[in-house]
Amino acid sequence: MKIVVAGTINKDLILPFEGSYIQSIGGIYYTISALSQLGGAELQIVPVSYMGEDFYDSFLNLISNFPNIERSALVPVDQKHHKVILEYVTPEERTEKALFNFSPLEYHQLEKAGDADFFIINLITGWDLSLDAFLELSENYYDRMFLDVHFLVMGIDELGKRYPIRPPNVERWLRGARFVQMNEAEYQVISGTSSGETMFFEQYLNPDQIMILTLAGKGARIIFHKDGIVRNKLFPPYKLKNLVDATGCGDVFSAAFVLKYLGTQDLYAAMDYGNRAAAANCMLKGTTEMDKLLTKMETLEIREP
């Protein structure tokens, strides 16, 4: 099985709410490293991302330790690599500053990955690929596309600080992939109302789409259309023994969800697996401890309502 992951690989400086700072590789590296740990040797993972000249060789050396991660669609560029500073103001809420930003990926760069069983598009910066490239990909692979909205709903000021903003063409993005994931804050930026998830789904998505709303410590919801009605189901979270770092939980959720769904075609099993993986990720330091993901997942129990 071949999964393409398109977006941006970050060099992260994480300043947790408590404890010492963490330097880690972030962005779609959370997704591809989680896929690598959960998918096994039979899975082929193809990241599509720009790579700055100061980081390209060391990143190739890093992924050489993972035989199921390919390098063929990485795009080296003559600039410093994208860097993000994340400062947590609560255990789960943070501010972000982006430096050395890349230009958007175009369709011919996504094509380099070749045909795939599935595409995960993770908008780490919000401009990771152009809308034209995304829509062209959608024309060919809509049923096999998973979109993580992420920073599509974030602007950037002259100092690199990110702030929430609703993009004018958000509906075109939302309708371009069969599976769409967003967190609670992203949902609020897009909806701008308290009309509820069901009305949001009917307004912004197609009947054949699957919407996933991640809710941090409250679990996650899935919203989809079946038998003439919109289903809306909450999946409770897993108990955390200790919260180390909440960075990348949505990225790990999407990796686990996609793998479980492709293996079972069971939406509910995929939601539960995504919840478990995201909770386990909270007990790891950045991506530096991703090799412990499965072990942490095995220790978790559902939090009772």
Side-chain angles (χ1 to χ4, degrees):
M1 182 166 58
K2 180 177 180 178
I3 297 178
V4 171
V5 185
T8 302
I9 295 166
N10 299 335
K11 293 170 72 176
D12 283 347
L13 174 61
I14 304 169
L15 307 174
F17 184 64
E18 295 178 346
S20 59
Y21 72 87
I22 301 165
Q23 295 190 77
S24 177
I25 304 169
I28 65 167
Y29 189 65
Y30 277 97
T31 307
I32 64 176
S33 57
L35 286 171
S36 181
Q37 294 297 322
L38 300 175
E42 71 281 1
L43 177 64
Q44 186 182 7
I45 306 159
V46 186
V48 185
S49 175
Y50 288 111
M51 302 297 300
E53 61 181 353
D54 58 330
F55 185 56
Y56 184 54
D57 289 340
S58 59
F59 185 73
L60 292 186
N61 184 60
L62 172 65
I63 64 173
S64 68
N65 298 314
F66 303 92
N68 54 2
I69 300 178
E70 280 196 14
R71 62 179 70 184
S72 59
L74 295 172
V75 185
V77 289
D78 185 20
Q79 70 164 77
K80 287 187 176 181
H81 195 80
H82 187 254
K83 183 175 182 178
V84 174
I85 301 170
L86 307 97
E87 183 174 5
Y88 280 84
V89 294
T90 74
E92 294 177 345
E93 297 178 7
R94 69 194 186 207
T95 63
E96 295 201 19
K97 185 175 182 179
L99 306 172
F100 316 123
N101 297 307
F102 295 133
S103 57
L105 293 162
E106 297 299 338
Y107 184 69
H108 72 274
Q109 292 161 326
L110 297 168
E111 267 191 320
K112 285 177 65 177
D115 196 19
D117 296 287
F118 212 82
F119 289 82
I120 298 175
I121 310 300
N122 194 340
L123 298 180
I124 299 296
T125 66
W127 56 80
D128 307 76
L129 69 164
S130 70
L131 178 58
D132 286 344
F134 176 75
L135 294 177
E136 189 169 355
L137 191 71
S138 178
E139 287 179 8
N140 297 312
Y141 300 104
Y142 168 83
D143 284 337
R144 290 179 271 167
M145 286 173 61
F146 185 109
L147 173 68
D148 188 342
V149 170
H150 211 59
F151 267 31
L152 177 66
V153 295
M154 297 292 280
I156 185 169
D157 68 17
E158 65 278 2
L159 298 177
K161 188 175 180 180
R162 307 306 302 266
Y163 60 90
I165 186 170
R166 187 183 190 278
N169 52 13
V170 68
E171 294 92 345
R172 301 182 74 192
W173 287 96
L174 293 180
R175 294 192 178 108
R178 182 159 183 256
F179 299 83
V180 179
Q181 176 178 313
M182 66 192 78
N183 66 28
E184 201 167 14
E186 294 152 9
Y187 166 78
Q188 291 296 336
V189 172
I190 296 170
S191 67
T193 68
S194 58
S195 58
E197 301 93 351
T198 299
M199 288 184 65
F200 179 95
F201 182 94
E202 292 176 329
Q203 179 178 353
Y204 288 101
L205 279 78
N206 300 317
D208 65 334
Q209 287 183 274
I210 311 296
M211 175 179 162
I212 297 164
L213 185 60
T214 57
L215 304 169
K218 296 178 289 184
R221 284 190 178 278
I222 187 168
I223 303 99
F224 63 101
H225 200 277
K226 184 177 181 180
D227 299 330
I229 62 172
V230 177
R231 309 295 176 97
N232 185 332
K233 180 172 174 59
L234 175 66
F235 288 78
Y238 280 80
K239 297 177 185 177
L240 283 183
K241 293 180 170 54
N242 62 312
L243 194 159
V244 176
D245 175 20
T247 309
C249 288
D251 310 315
V252 172
F253 183 103
S254 60
F257 175 93
V258 167
L259 276 177
K260 181 61 75 171
Y261 181 74
L262 291 177
T264 65
Q265 300 297 302
D266 186 329
L267 288 172
Y268 289 1
M271 288 293 295
D272 178 70
Y273 196 60
N275 252 354
R276 182 188 286 267
N281 181 71
C282 286
M283 298 188 287
L284 307 176
K285 290 184 178 181
T287 54
T288 60
E289 297 183 335
M290 195 61 74
D291 60 314
K292 302 176 183 177
L293 181 64
L294 271 169
T295 302
K296 293 291 186 183
M297 288 173 68
E298 290 168 359
T299 69
L300 293 172
E301 296 177 358
I302 284 280
R303 184 189 302 170
E304 296 300 329

